[in-house]
Amino acid sequence: MNSVEIVQSYPFNSLSIYHNTPHLRQVSKNHSFTLSQINCALDTQIQTLSSKSKLNRKSTMSSSVMRKLDVVSPVPADIDIANSVQPIHIDEIAKTLNLTPNHYDLYGKYKAKVLLSVLDDLKESKNGYYVVVGGITPTPLGEGKSTTTVGLCQALGAFLDKKVVTCVRQPSQGPTFGIKGGAAGGGYSQVIPMDEFNLHLTGDIHAITAANNLLAAAIDARIFHESTQSDKALFNRLCPANKEGKKSFNDVMFRRLKKLGISKTNPDDLTPEEVTKFARLDIDPDSITWRRVMDINDRFLRKISVGQGPDEKGMVRETAFDISVASEIMAVLALTTSLSDMRERLGKMVIGNSKSGDPVTADDLGVGGALTVLMKDTINPTLMQTLEGTPVFVHAGPFANIAHGNSSIVADKIALKLVGPGGFVVTEAGFGSDIGTEKFMNIKCRYSGLSPQCAIIVATIRALKMHGGGPAVTAGKPLDHAYLNENVALVEAGCVNLARHVINSKLYGANVIVAINKFSTDTDAELNAVRKAALDAGAYDAVVCSHHAHGGKGAVDLGIAVQKACENATQPLKFLYPLDIGIKEKIETIAKSYGASGVEYSEQAEKKIEMYTKQGFSGLPICMAKTQYSFSDNAAAKGAPTGFVLPIRDVRASIGAGFIYPLVGTMSTMPGLPTRPCFYDIDIDTTTGKVVGLS
């Protein structure tokens, strides 16, 4: 029996890569076949079965754009792998999804903006399968969640012959130039061009920055002008007379009139009291929550003062900068469902209160329409590709601690229509599933109306050892020997963290799969311990993956498990809490899922909850802002802590985006640069024009 015959006799629906399949390794041992022969046979069988299935299914990916990777060991630097592959023209990627040139706008040769009109054209089409990728509580190094997302899609599209779209967030330049590096995946499972993905892309974050800062400027300008003018003068400047001497309201002003309960359409008909109500916002400077943003880590902007110029007449106030991806406008982009919905959400954003306690919105300032104009192109997802030629939608990038940390609803909706029945859309949720998957389900899915069939939890031996009591893992420092040598007991102890993530994720009704991201130092005994713990906790399956080292071929097992999990999903989406309960009840429900025994509110948090309830915002979902490094508020509390009291320091609201966000402990919305940032390594080859050193 030769190697090809062995592989051909091995059922394709349970085909496993040699590294992950004891049965296939035993066959190889008995028949004296080399790893190279087995891999070659696997490639032959996959290609044969893929070509046969293409004859019978219109939903498959186009084989003309699939790229076979020439992997080498040890795995080169991410940017070197990315630069070694010539991207396929984005027109060809679009064709695999049956997109015509009328459906997208080109941004160079390797990027395109897919237009929302696709949804209208496909409104009668059925959706494909929907998969969300979360993770266990990570180390500061990350556990390869983005890499797993990309690797799974490469396996589904390039090896299992499925129509697939990867939906991921656009990364911030903060971590790219800071300490974490980029977010295009890694190794042989990346989105390319990697440098464009991690830098300016199609300018969406720059547009968000401009829109955010326009609103910030409008706030301070309005306070300034109201402080120096009478009500009548304000009104006359807001509604100036035309050449015929007639005044009029513009569209955005009618929104404020409606809010005030004024039905009049002629400015001259307003009473003096109505003129005052309309013209004077009377913003309380101490209540302003809106801050300026920039997409760079700059710790010295965490607290600033504005208004120190001589022309501002002493109107100094303290404020701060956030990083751009923490802007509510980014959260709006991620949760919007259409251009008209985005216009409404941007206009409803609350920037603070009047001195009488009423919320002041962007539309009250008259700027909602202008913000939408700045954002009009950002609503279209960016089409890119993986190393193996499968399509990727890159769209939105809300801060995973402060906001909900998921890519956009519109990208997912378009992708689900494009892949159709039997196809797959795989999207990533930020950080561990306690943050990312919980917010994906309770916030994103509430607004999208979509239900995932499968939830993946990415785990690593390294992180589980840390949760089992291993030494601290610190970015930039070598790993302790405990992480480089077999220690099954340490892994088993850390699996309490994995178990809680599995149990929590199952609450939503989706089938849960654990993807064990294999490193070269991991042993079979350690991997088997994780698989057993996952299954004991109720996971649908647990699969070892090597996509970082082998690309899609290293995630074929995961792809098969995901397909099976989706096909056998039977439960509808379940939310963790209903919306019609109080803010505190929602917070406490989420806290209990972390393992908390109770919640402690600061005096400030109590006042904010009372205020938001009075203002009519208590029906919004909750977006917990807490550390990603622990279920608790204490980043040093590893494993699965219980019995702790969760402290709520403050409660804020993103009314336009549509959620209330409690601040758990101390949270920074403007990261700082480390002693040795990533930018030390980043440069350009002036001969070829290629970026080097990007990670």
Side-chain angles (χ1 to χ4, degrees), residues 249-262 278 339-348 361-369 372:
F249 295 119
N250 63 12
D251 289 344
V252 74
M253 290 177 175
F254 283 113
R255 294 172 181 257
R256 175 156 177 78
L257 289 167
K258 182 179 179 181
K259 175 181 174 179
L260 296 172
I262 300 172
F278 173 80
L339 185 61
S340 60
D341 179 63
M342 184 169 75
R343 170 64 185 88
E344 292 302 315
R345 288 175 180 270
L346 291 173
K348 290 193 299 183
T361 68
D363 273 343
D364 287 330
L365 286 157
V367 74
T372 310

Side-chain angles (χ1 to χ4, degrees), residues 59 125-129 163 415-425:
S59 65
S125 301
K126 293 184 177 180
N127 289 343
Y129 293 122
K163 208 163 189 179
L416 285 164
K417 295 296 184 186
L418 289 174
V419 300
F424 293 83
V425 171

